[in-house]
Amino acid sequence: MVPVIISGGVGSRLWPISRALHPKPFIPLPEGGTLIRKTYARAVELEGVDQVVTVTNRDLLFLTADEYLEIAAPGVKNTFLLEPFGRDTAAAVALAALHLAHENPDAILVVLPADHLIVDQAGFRASVARAAALAASGQIVTFGVRPDRPETGFGYIEAEGNGVLRFVEKPNAATAAQFVASGRFFWNSGMFCFTARSMLEAMQELCPDILSNARRALEKGRTADSTDRLTVEVDRDSFAAVPAVSIDYAVMEKASNVGFVPCGFDWSDIGSWSVLSELVPADGKGNRATGEAILHDAANCYVHSEDRLVGVVGVSDLLIVDTPDALLVAHKDKAQEVKDLYNRLKAEGHETATLHRTVHRPWGTYTVLEEGHRFKIKRIEVKPNARLSLQAHHHRSEHWVVVSGTAKVVNGESEILLTINQSTYIPCGHKHRLENPGILPLVMIEVQSGEYLGEDDIVRFDDVYGRA
């Protein structure tokens, strides 16, 4: 059995916490951890697992690997299939099935979206075992969740026993209420189980263009194997030819050998702020809060505060999410429409659709503290034994000041060591590199000055993370 974790969606309904380069699977949960970390923990606890395949964007590789390191999984090999951009779930499933078919065509794949929350681990394992038995007989199995409310944000499956009668797209409220009352309909969980052989045969019949282009992208990709992980970066041009279609539409709604397992466990895709807020205990007036918040004469509100006090007076049924660079205020009844707000920001090229003020990089993080005309100030934290690329900038110079730790710096033709309160100046155009040779994190303040301070003003000459 090989778990396949698909991590591709932004989670736009959870903006401003969820953003393109720090999406929903990575947002901290109120009780601790992240969705992708919990998904990985569920995967490695399944019986007989010695490999986990993750299909994700290449820009999220190191963020994902860091999350996996938080889970002790001795003997489990991590394989990353890296997409240059999203092409929906059919492409992701095709890549995983093609890759694993080379090792064993009869391997049983369990496809798990990275952004689901499941608490009942024993129930999850039992449902996967039932699905695996059906998959071994040649069925392509989908998991259905018995609905506890008329939800219009999910697709539905009408099922009888282990057979699927039909798939239904997201219904209106009245239809959803009828579905729940009938007892025959289940939420489409987005989890699947099948052998590599069964899926490839179905895709060859039902969506050969997706399969052939995915195969070409995989064959022309770049592979790197190390002691702790295998990475395959699929070919960009070939992958661009893969149609962007969901696995439901491409295969599940058309295949003749679809099986069904009702989930015997709790399940949530944390699809909106209303759902996420329910993970936080409520006070006597139905208010929930994370971070520092004071509520007076307020009812049924949710407040998320990251680095400052939020005061709420005389309102009800509001979602208030405060981050260092963006604030969301929405009525709870409009929680689903946060996605429309995100799409508008994305269309306008607004930075808050993509990045947080704190940005994760393979070597650590940087936080923009302040910026203005011709200057930008950052806090840079470098992991132990990590280093940035050897690089240069065309339009800016930089001052580096060490706050804690030790910095090994290449500055032009010189190589120097800097400790606390020491600094160096890097003129515009100079090749330079920053490295942390110590066992503790390196923290620095960087002051940039110049006519243009965009993150794309960088020329990489050498990079241990393959970005040069």
Side-chain angles (χ1 to χ4, degrees), residues 26 33 62 68 103 163 166 174 191 237 311 362 418 422 433 436:
F26 301 95
F62 296 99
Y68 289 1
E103 301 176 5
R166 61 174 170 142
M191 298 186 295
D237 293 338
L418 300 176
Q422 293 182 329
R433 169 175 258 156
N436 178 3

Side-chain angles (χ1 to χ4, degrees), residues 89-90 93 139-143 157 164-167 188 190-194 199 202-203 206-207 246-260:
T89 51
V93 168
Q139 295 190 56
I140 299 175
V141 183
T142 183
F143 294 78
I157 301 170
V164 172
L165 301 179
R166 61 174 170 142
F167 290 85
N188 187 347
M191 298 186 295
F192 309 98
C193 185
F194 46 81
M199 178 53 71
M203 297 190 92
L206 301 171
C207 53
S246 72
I247 190 64
D248 296 272
Y249 180 79
V251 175
M252 304 304 296
E253 296 178 11
K254 302 171 183 177
S256 59
N257 58 333
V258 174
F260 176 79

Side-chain angles (χ1 to χ4, degrees), residues 377-455:
I377 304 173
K378 289 182 177 179
R379 177 189 184 274
I380 296 176
E381 182 168 330
V382 185
K383 302 173 187 175
N385 298 312
R387 61 177 178 171
L388 285 66
S389 59
L390 180 64
Q391 58 187 254
H393 310 294
H394 292 303
H395 303 286
R396 71 173 185 253
S397 59
E398 298 173 342
H399 279 90
W400 288 350
V401 182
V402 176
V403 175
S404 63
T406 300
K408 183 179 180 181
V409 177
V410 172
N411 188 350
E413 300 300 321
S414 302
E415 183 174 293
I416 56 176
L417 283 177
L418 300 176
T419 57
I420 296 174
N421 290 331
Q422 293 182 329
S423 63
T424 189
Y425 168 67
I426 300 165
C428 182
H430 263 218
K431 287 185 180 180
H432 59 281
R433 169 175 258 156
L434 174 63
E435 181 178 348
N436 178 3
I439 60 173
L440 298 175
L442 163 66
V443 179
M444 297 182 52
I445 297 298
E446 175 182 274
V447 180
Q448 302 177 2
S449 60
E451 290 293 338
Y452 178 72
L453 305 174
E455 294 301 324

